[in-house]
Amino acid sequence: MSKKQAAAASKGGAAKNPSTGVMAKINASIDVDKRLYTHDIAGSRAHCTMLMECGIVSEEAGHAILKGLDAIESEIAAGGFAFDAALEDIHMNIEARLFELIGEDAGRLHTARSRNDQVATDFRLWVRDALDTMDARLASLQIALIDQAQAHAATVAPGFTHLQTAQPVSFGHHMLAYVEMLERDRGRGRNCRARVNADCPLGAGALAGTSFPIDREQTATALGFDAASRNSLDAVSDRDFALEFLAFAAIAATHLSRLGEEIVLWSSQPFGFVTLDESFTSGSSMLPQKRNPDAAELVRAKTGRVFGALTALLMVMKGLPLAYAKDTQEDKEPVFDAADTLGLCLVAMTGMVAGMRVEPEAMRRAAATGHATATDLADWLVRVLDMPFRAAHHATGRIVALAEAKGCTLDALPLGELQTVEPKITADVFSVLGVEESVASRTSFGGTAPERVRAAAAEARKRCLAKEPT
Amino acid sequence: MSKKQAAAASKGGAAKNPSTGVMAKINASIDVDKRLYTHDIAGSRAHCTMLMECGIVSEEAGHAILKGLDAIESEIAAGGFAFDAALEDIHMNIEARLFELIGEDAGRLHTARSRNDQVATDFRLWVRDALDTMDARLASLQIALIDQAQAHAATVAPGFTHLQTAQPVSFGHHMLAYVEMLERDRGRGRNCRARVNADCPLGAGALAGTSFPIDREQTATALGFDAASRNSLDAVSDRDFALEFLAFAAIAATHLSRLGEEIVLWSSQPFGFVTLDESFTSGSSMLPQKRNPDAAELVRAKTGRVFGALTALLMVMKGLPLAYAKDTQEDKEPVFDAADTLGLCLVAMTGMVAGMRVEPEAMRRAAATGHATATDLADWLVRVLDMPFRAAHHATGRIVALAEAKGCTLDALPLGELQTVEPKITADVFSVLGVEESVASRTSFGGTAPERVRAAAAEARKRCLAKEPT
Amino acid sequence: MSKKQAAAASKGGAAKNPSTGVMAKINASIDVDKRLYTHDIAGSRAHCTMLMECGIVSEEAGHAILKGLDAIESEIAAGGFAFDAALEDIHMNIEARLFELIGEDAGRLHTARSRNDQVATDFRLWVRDALDTMDARLASLQIALIDQAQAHAATVAPGFTHLQTAQPVSFGHHMLAYVEMLERDRGRGRNCRARVNADCPLGAGALAGTSFPIDREQTATALGFDAASRNSLDAVSDRDFALEFLAFAAIAATHLSRLGEEIVLWSSQPFGFVTLDESFTSGSSMLPQKRNPDAAELVRAKTGRVFGALTALLMVMKGLPLAYAKDTQEDKEPVFDAADTLGLCLVAMTGMVAGMRVEPEAMRRAAATGHATATDLADWLVRVLDMPFRAAHHATGRIVALAEAKGCTLDALPLGELQTVEPKITADVFSVLGVEESVASRTSFGGTAPERVRAAAAEARKRCLAKEPT
Amino acid sequence: MSKKQAAAASKGGAAKNPSTGVMAKINASIDVDKRLYTHDIAGSRAHCTMLMECGIVSEEAGHAILKGLDAIESEIAAGGFAFDAALEDIHMNIEARLFELIGEDAGRLHTARSRNDQVATDFRLWVRDALDTMDARLASLQIALIDQAQAHAATVAPGFTHLQTAQPVSFGHHMLAYVEMLERDRGRGRNCRARVNADCPLGAGALAGTSFPIDREQTATALGFDAASRNSLDAVSDRDFALEFLAFAAIAATHLSRLGEEIVLWSSQPFGFVTLDESFTSGSSMLPQKRNPDAAELVRAKTGRVFGALTALLMVMKGLPLAYAKDTQEDKEPVFDAADTLGLCLVAMTGMVAGMRVEPEAMRRAAATGHATATDLADWLVRVLDMPFRAAHHATGRIVALAEAKGCTLDALPLGELQTVEPKITADVFSVLGVEESVASRTSFGGTAPERVRAAAAEARKRCLAKEPT
């Protein structure tokens, strides 16, 4: 069959869609949806096999179709497939080629199927793969963070609130905070995957199901879904899985933006807490001395892009009546772009974290400013002198004021000065005013004491490496 | 202790925050966060009890605190509590009152605690409650939809794609499509709840944990959490639970907007598919004859508000360095508003669906236009004449053109005319060209045949009423 | 000079940026910013000419540079330019080629310039062009609407509020409502263009200006800007012009989405108000009888994409410290995509409106349902019987109830029935109860009477064709 | 007339809207729109006066209405007005009270008017006022920035790109960058105001205009509009003015978020560039030594809220068919909230900037790190030795490497060392390597030289104080 005949055959009766001009430009999706080709062919294989087994298509026709699909998959993989915008989308491009390869029997593949259930199936399969990729990359970034956490469990850094020095913390502890965020991301990803995989739309037809005696459980199982979707109208109209993927991605990207911001801060001259590996910085066209943290900035920025994708699709879905509407064709680009973007940001961040040189001296120096052990003093007053916390907080405030007036740190104030505020203070207090002592004392569960951090890192690594997610 | 002394005591040493002027206006959160009072007091109770049992606060002081908290809760519940903007937030308002009631011992409650871990705990408890409320309301709306589905399993309606009549469907089937959407919303809500409840922040302190020998598992358990959070920096910085709640709410609101749009369409004069109960419509100040579907329009519109809340908080969190930053104070209003809005929309939609009078005649009439059984004809050609689907699709297109030219429906074309397109067509074909027959034939799983719809409705009701979510 | 030497020369001393791997992927922008090539070369020409005239670069070197730039522009236009991702962006690709072509003097072009001011200039020039394109396309769509308005000034259609028939209107009047929306879009576009063009960033250097005695007014004028930017830090950090462009585009896209929604409604079977030209519809892979309004749906949907672009960039800019940050590299893709999308939607909508066949019979039939002339009745009671409007509104409500009870239209009620509600009603009332009469009576400025519509259309066309915008 | 009768009278015939329950909750807007009362009364006054002058309402009735409106305005202003949710909105609340006060003639006010044109008019008037307020507050913040700029024209600070020290700049110059941003905001505000004010919707009726011989120009003029709106359908459907206000506010809020971020950075211990006035900081419940920049953080965060409002309304408007739909009732809360938020942030930021103590020593120290004068060295090589810029950039990179290896600043390298890289360098080069010299040399227009900054500040102040905006 000629290409032209094949195209005509695959497009059927009434449908004669323009291949050029503005309609072609706005309507054709092949430039975007060709990324779905393996998923589309997998879906067609499962559908064809089922049609044969249910006696709807003959063995002979079915095997011809399957062989044709194999050939097409190889052609596309090898880059030798000529996509045609006049055929609009990946489904019609493949079907038209099938006509060329095997003739009229190609027309039996679309029995008991519509592009509406077909694309919904393809796209779910793609999102499922993307979620698996994201999970693996999230785990890699966790490992990089855990490596740094174990190396720097005892590295004292300033813990900030409001970007003001608050209390000294372990830098490893700070790394592990991101491990927790990513763990939640992975949890959201798993939940999303379960819902993506819960329902196979194939067999929902255009919107109403079919009168052919198909076996939807068989195709669902063949494609690795947990079940067939329960409502044909919903099956072709639903894009929750894409929205949920984008929401997952937007929250994960937000986490990366926070780490990106911190890396930018830490590698600035006023902080000087870390030195980035040169491979993640770039130079300046005008300023010869610069090494700029471009990758960290781009990771920070690309949150916008991922959330923009969620915004785009949510706005598409708002107020859309059932069942299938062409509006939903706008679902793939935001999802593809968000997956590409998040995937790239995860890899970049993993490289940055793994290659980042920590500067313990600069961190310790910063931790020692700002009277960061004032809380330790207040806690000592509570613990040793049994002062109510608020009274201790009050007394500490007065002692901090003394230190500020003298321009010295808390542990440099003589005991006598301390006693002008609270006469019962003894020399024992100096045991809690050093930053190392402060960090070491935070042994409560989840606290920043190095021993806690080491245990938490070990546990996190174990969780990360476990085959079955917890 | 006087109010003024109490306020001073609770605010401690260095902190003297302005109670008037622009700073008070931008900084104080009491107007918003007073909604957290029961959760704040529950958290304080658990914390106090733990401090006693761990020997950090004496039994005597602890019991005084607990008694004071009881009194304060009653006062607030009774509306007799004087909130003071100068005390900024719910935490300080309650603590200052505690000083008034029990004196200096009130200052022991804040031992080993910070407002940072306190508010994170309060807010998680609130979101957990909100998720439970949403789940119950989603279930109620499901029941209303299932009721309509069972009543209208055999009511023939036009199934649209692109808002063009595509195939006849059961109106009950259409109702059940929304039951599926809401089921996924409930699944997302449950997953979100599990993550909200996974980690109790209490005991994370300002950011670093504490040196007091506290028992975090005890407070976590007392408050119904599954465990204590594993990283103190993350515990006070994380607002994932709020973002995830908002993403859940935005997707759910999008579903409601679709149903809202359909109700607006259905109750318009050109459709006339349903008549809304008067209690969900309103009149016009200028047009005396109007009954407007205001509630449906507002439900449709309020999606914007819910998604705006997600936008707001995601933008707040973007690029925020660890640990606690005041920026996160902007977390509560969007969440409160989104919960109120979604909750209200769910109740309104439940009422609308339950009270909606379906007009089967109008629906059937519309289903019979647009050659909605053309697919049935094509399927008959495949099934009976063994034509490839594409060839059948092509032949059907030509038959539709004949009908259009004659201005009649497909089943009104004489057999002879049909045979001009395909000579092998027999009179048996007329058995599939009626809309009732078409609907009845879609017996594949998830299809629109009345028997399928009845079974699906029964199963959905069972799932809905089950105590344990599936 | 060899390509490799040229690349090294153009990248200068410290900067050795990776050309492969994840950093290249996240950092390189050449795939995106090559669209700026004509603007980049125009900027370089203006800069080089100024450097010569100010005596900073010799005539000889300057002319060699200009000649080289000409050659490069031709190469790119002809498709023969080999872009190299290792050179990151359009600026370095062009400069490296300049080294190849003219040798060391190429290195003089970047005197008193940085990529920071260079890209800000290029991008403003691009946005200026895009605004001009959008303005022309908005005007074309206005003309198509005005054509329909003049053809259908006297076509009676139902005017809806809440999608309920409210009052009969002229369909031409409805078309002109969109002309007004687009007129505001054009106004916003013009205001945006004026701000884009107010400040030329060139000469701001990396962030601080330069010590070379450059003439910024000269380059600004040469590039068609109104003036040079007043603050070098702002010049390289500002992306307001891109944000404002995106806000303009998002509001315009929202207008198109409303028209898209209406076209989808109007071309549905229950409405049947318009028939779309086949070139803007497409067929179905499963449903042979369908002609779907795909283009209208896609225009409706693509609002999401345009607003997603604004969301993306606004989130990028949020909280970004001065001056230039790499985050702003994320500015071009959303703007390019929004401009392409809006531009395409405008052309598609122009085609749809121009080719749309209006069905006056269906419109009139719909206008006659729903007691659309009830307001006319109420107004008659006020005007003729001097009843207060509220009392008239009340009486009309009762008359509508009578008509509903009898299942007839208002003008089919006998006079006697009308008088049971208000005895003073005379037969004169029937002169206002027909839909044509109703439309014709709305002669107030901005009203829907055909004579008003014709005058408004004529005036709109004149405004539209005027060279100078009003 | 009794309240109940009045309510019934004002609500007319068919409309009996529920005052309690879920419909009342979702439908009533009085809690929100009562903020429009002065604008609503102004609109009614203008409408009533016009009705009288056009002979549609008698002088007697008209004057009674006007007197009643005066009384109602006083009552509301005095806080003595009992708003009733059963009356839904501000319009009906006022009208019902008018019935109580003056009886049946109150019913004449709504002649030739609908709530649709009424609320569109009210809301435009409100937005116009809000724009005037924003403009005044933007100007105040500009003045505060200009004051700092003049005080610190010669204060040397590090200019950052990528948050890496790039070149020394004048801190005053940095302040003026924000003046430029706000100037563009004011321009956008003025353009928005012109469009808000271009069209008065009053007289558009429900959607179709009116058959009463009203004078729309008169009401437009009386209310200060430039003209009456040209299309009645557009007049009641349009919410562009609200969208444009929100886009204006979102961009302005983004500028504030950038300054907020910088203030947070500058007041952190590692930077230490500014000390905030205590009135804009707050203390910690746990950390007695802290002074947190809460106001700056909240300004940074509230960008999310303002942009969330734009998102909300844009999503409401997406795909909304003409004419009026209840969806648009969701327009006021986002606009009110955005105006309140932006207004508050502007006042807070003005206070912060005015009260901020700059620490010149810390800034200068930071400016001297990071080889910030490397560009000056490169420029010297170009200017004095006539090296091509790229070659100079390359040589400078090697000299920076020498300085880094020795751990010294550029101006501490001996001449001999410099000459190992480029033998022609003379001792004159040291005249450009100091940070003060560097700043002073950037005398190009828009550059950072103190003399430029002083001139720019003076010019900005003049522009700011000019009555007529430029």
Side-chain angles (χ1 to χ4, degrees), chain C residues 116-458:
Chain C
N116 297 355
D117 56 340
Q118 190 179 357
V119 73
T121 305
D122 293 3
F123 195 24
R124 277 178 182 255
L125 291 172
W126 193 94
V127 170
R128 194 174 70 184
D129 284 355
L131 283 162
D132 290 342
T133 302
M134 295 306 129
D135 189 67
R137 295 191 180 180
L138 286 161
S140 295
L141 177 51
Q142 285 182 314
I143 294 294
L145 290 159
I146 293 167
D147 287 346
Q148 289 281 12
Q150 290 186 310
H152 292 285
T155 299
V156 173
F160 295 107
T161 58
H162 311 263
L163 211 65
Q164 296 285 308
T165 307
Q167 297 181 335
V169 296
S170 149
F171 184 69
H173 192 54
H174 197 122
M175 291 288 97
L176 291 182
Y178 284 99
V179 173
E180 292 297 313
M181 296 181 213
L182 303 179
E183 190 67 21
R184 287 191 295 273
D185 289 325
R186 293 178 69 191
R188 272 183 286 273
R190 275 194 300 274
N191 292 156
C192 179
R193 192 192 194 285
R195 257 182 298 276
V196 168
N197 213 43
D199 308 306
C200 179
L202 204 58
L207 74 159
T210 180
S211 57
F212 288 98
I214 61 174
D215 181 347
R216 293 190 59 209
E217 285 306 317
Q218 180 184 332
T219 45
T221 302
L223 294 167
F225 284 96
D226 295 332
S229 55
R230 289 186 292 236
N231 185 288
S232 60
L233 290 164
D234 177 54
V236 298
S237 309
D238 168 40
R239 290 300 181 273
D240 279 15
F241 61 95
L243 291 172
E244 189 174 348
F245 175 83
L246 292 170
F248 148 81
I251 297 176
T254 302
H255 293 149
L256 298 186
S257 80
R258 302 182 76 172
L259 185 49
E261 166 92 359
E262 296 211 296
I263 290 177
V264 171
L265 289 179
W266 293 340
S267 59
S268 72
Q269 279 84 3
F271 280 77
F273 289 1
V274 304
T275 305
L276 287 176
D277 187 87
E278 202 165 85
S279 63
F280 288 98
T281 65
S282 68
S284 158
S285 72
M286 187 174 177
L287 309 166
Q289 83 284 12
K290 299 286 295 298
R291 294 307 312 166
N292 298 317
D294 294 62
E297 294 173 282
L298 287 163
V299 168
R300 177 175 66 183
K302 283 175 188 288
T303 314
R305 183 176 188 132
V306 176
F307 186 60
L310 173 57
T311 302
L313 187 56
L314 211 96
M315 192 166 277
V316 168
M317 298 309 294
K318 182 241 165 181
L320 209 56
L322 305 189
Y324 183 81
K326 190 61 167 264
D327 306 63
T328 51
Q329 182 169 296
E330 287 288 309
D331 58 356
K332 277 170 283 303
E333 273 184 277
V335 169
F336 289 169
D337 192 74
D340 292 346
T341 301
L342 179 59
L344 179 58
C345 288
L346 285 166
V347 174
M349 193 52 96
T350 303
M352 266 183 280
V353 169
M356 178 172 79
R357 196 175 73 226
V358 173
E359 310 287 359
E361 277 315 297
M363 285 185 182
R364 199 208 172 282
R365 207 161 40 238
T369 66
H371 311 299
T373 57
T375 310
D376 299 274
L377 169 56
D379 286 354
W380 186 92
L381 296 173
V382 171
R383 207 168 45 239
V384 178
L385 304 188
D386 194 34
M387 289 172 70
F389 178 76
R390 284 296 174 208
H393 187 271
H394 190 81
T396 304
R398 290 173 58 202
I399 293 170
V400 167
L402 285 180
E404 295 240 311
K406 297 193 75 163
C408 70
T409 58
L410 289 179
D411 58 357
L413 282 175
L415 182 59
E417 294 251 24
L418 298 173
Q419 290 171 337
T420 63
V421 171
E422 173 49 61
K424 295 188 219 144
I425 294 179
T426 67
D428 175 66
V429 78
F430 293 107
S431 70
V432 305
L433 297 184
V435 294
E436 279 79 9
E437 289 75 11
S438 171
V439 172
S441 76
R442 296 296 191 292
T443 55
S444 57
F445 180 74
T448 194
E451 62 189 285
R452 276 285 178 201
V453 173
R454 282 189 200 100

Side-chain angles (χ1 to χ4, degrees), chain D residues 72-84:
Chain D
I72 292 168
E73 189 167 32
S74 302
E75 287 175 12
I76 301 178
F81 190 93
F83 290 104
D84 180 357

Side-chain angles (χ1 to χ4, degrees), chain B residues 161-162 164-167 261 265 267 269 284-285 287 289-290 292 297 315-316 318 370-371 375 390 393, chain C residues 161-162 164-167 261 265 267 269 284-285 287 289-290 292 297 315 318 370-371 375 390 393:
Chain B
T161 58
H162 311 263
Q164 296 286 307
T165 308
Q167 298 181 334
E261 165 93 357
L265 289 179
S267 58
Q269 280 85 2
S284 159
S285 72
L287 310 166
Q289 83 283 12
K290 298 287 295 300
N292 299 317
E297 294 173 282
M315 193 165 278
V316 168
K318 182 241 166 180
H371 311 298
T375 310
R390 282 298 173 206
H393 187 271
Chain C
T161 58
H162 311 263
Q164 296 285 308
T165 307
Q167 297 181 335
E261 166 92 359
L265 289 179
S267 59
Q269 279 84 3
S284 158
S285 72
L287 309 166
Q289 83 284 12
K290 299 286 295 298
N292 298 317
E297 294 173 282
M315 192 166 277
K318 182 241 165 181
H371 311 299
T375 310
R390 284 296 174 208
H393 187 271

Side-chain angles (χ1 to χ4, degrees), chain A residues 333-376:
Chain A
E333 273 183 274
V335 169
F336 289 171
D337 191 73
D340 291 347
T341 302
L342 179 60
L344 179 58
C345 288
L346 284 166
V347 174
M349 193 51 97
T350 303
M352 266 184 281
V353 169
M356 178 173 80
R357 197 175 72 225
V358 174
E359 311 286 359
E361 276 315 299
M363 287 186 182
R364 201 208 171 282
R365 207 160 41 236
T369 65
H371 311 298
T373 56
T375 310
D376 300 274

Side-chain angles (χ1 to χ4, degrees), chain D residues 6-195:
Chain D
S10 72
K11 287 168 93 181
K16 268 172 257 119
N17 295 330
S19 63
T20 57
V22 65
M23 181 59 179
K25 265 192 209 152
I26 202 169
N27 196 47
S29 59
I30 183 64
D31 284 349
V32 172
D33 62 24
K34 63 183 167 192
R35 279 181 76 164
L36 297 174
Y37 83 93
T38 51
H39 308 94
D40 193 71
I41 290 173
S44 288
R45 259 193 212 111
H47 185 64
C48 178
T49 304
M50 181 276 291
L51 290 176
M52 281 193 289
E53 299 193 9
C54 294
I56 300 166
V57 159
S58 71
E59 291 284 316
E60 194 187 339
H63 284 298
I65 290 170
L66 291 175
K67 214 174 135 191
L69 290 171
D70 288 348
I72 292 168
E73 189 167 32
S74 302
E75 287 175 12
I76 301 178
F81 190 93
F83 290 104
D84 180 357
L87 289 162
E88 289 186 27
D89 57 30
I90 185 65
H91 325 299
M92 297 309 250
N93 268 276
I94 288 174
E95 192 179 311
R97 179 69 182 135
L98 194 62
F99 270 94
E100 287 184 326
L101 292 174
I102 69 164
E104 281 290 335
D105 275 340
R108 299 188 186 274
L109 173 59
H110 213 58
T111 310
R113 190 175 76 169
S114 156
R115 281 191 289 184
N116 296 355
D117 56 339
Q118 190 179 357
V119 73
T121 305
D122 294 2
F123 194 24
R124 277 178 182 255
L125 291 171
W126 193 94
V127 170
R128 194 174 70 184
D129 284 354
L131 282 163
D132 291 341
T133 302
M134 296 305 129
D135 188 67
R137 294 192 182 179
L138 285 161
S140 295
L141 177 51
Q142 284 183 314
I143 293 293
L145 289 159
I146 293 167
D147 288 345
Q148 288 281 12
Q150 290 186 309
H152 292 285
T155 300
V156 173
F160 295 106
T161 58
H162 311 263
L163 211 64
Q164 296 284 309
T165 307
Q167 297 180 334
V169 297
S170 149
F171 184 69
H173 191 55
H174 197 123
M175 291 288 98
L176 291 181
Y178 284 99
V179 173
E180 292 297 313
M181 297 181 213
L182 303 179
E183 190 68 20
R184 286 190 297 273
D185 289 325
R186 295 179 67 190
R188 272 182 287 273
R190 275 193 302 273
N191 291 156
C192 178
R193 191 192 194 285
R195 258 182 298 277

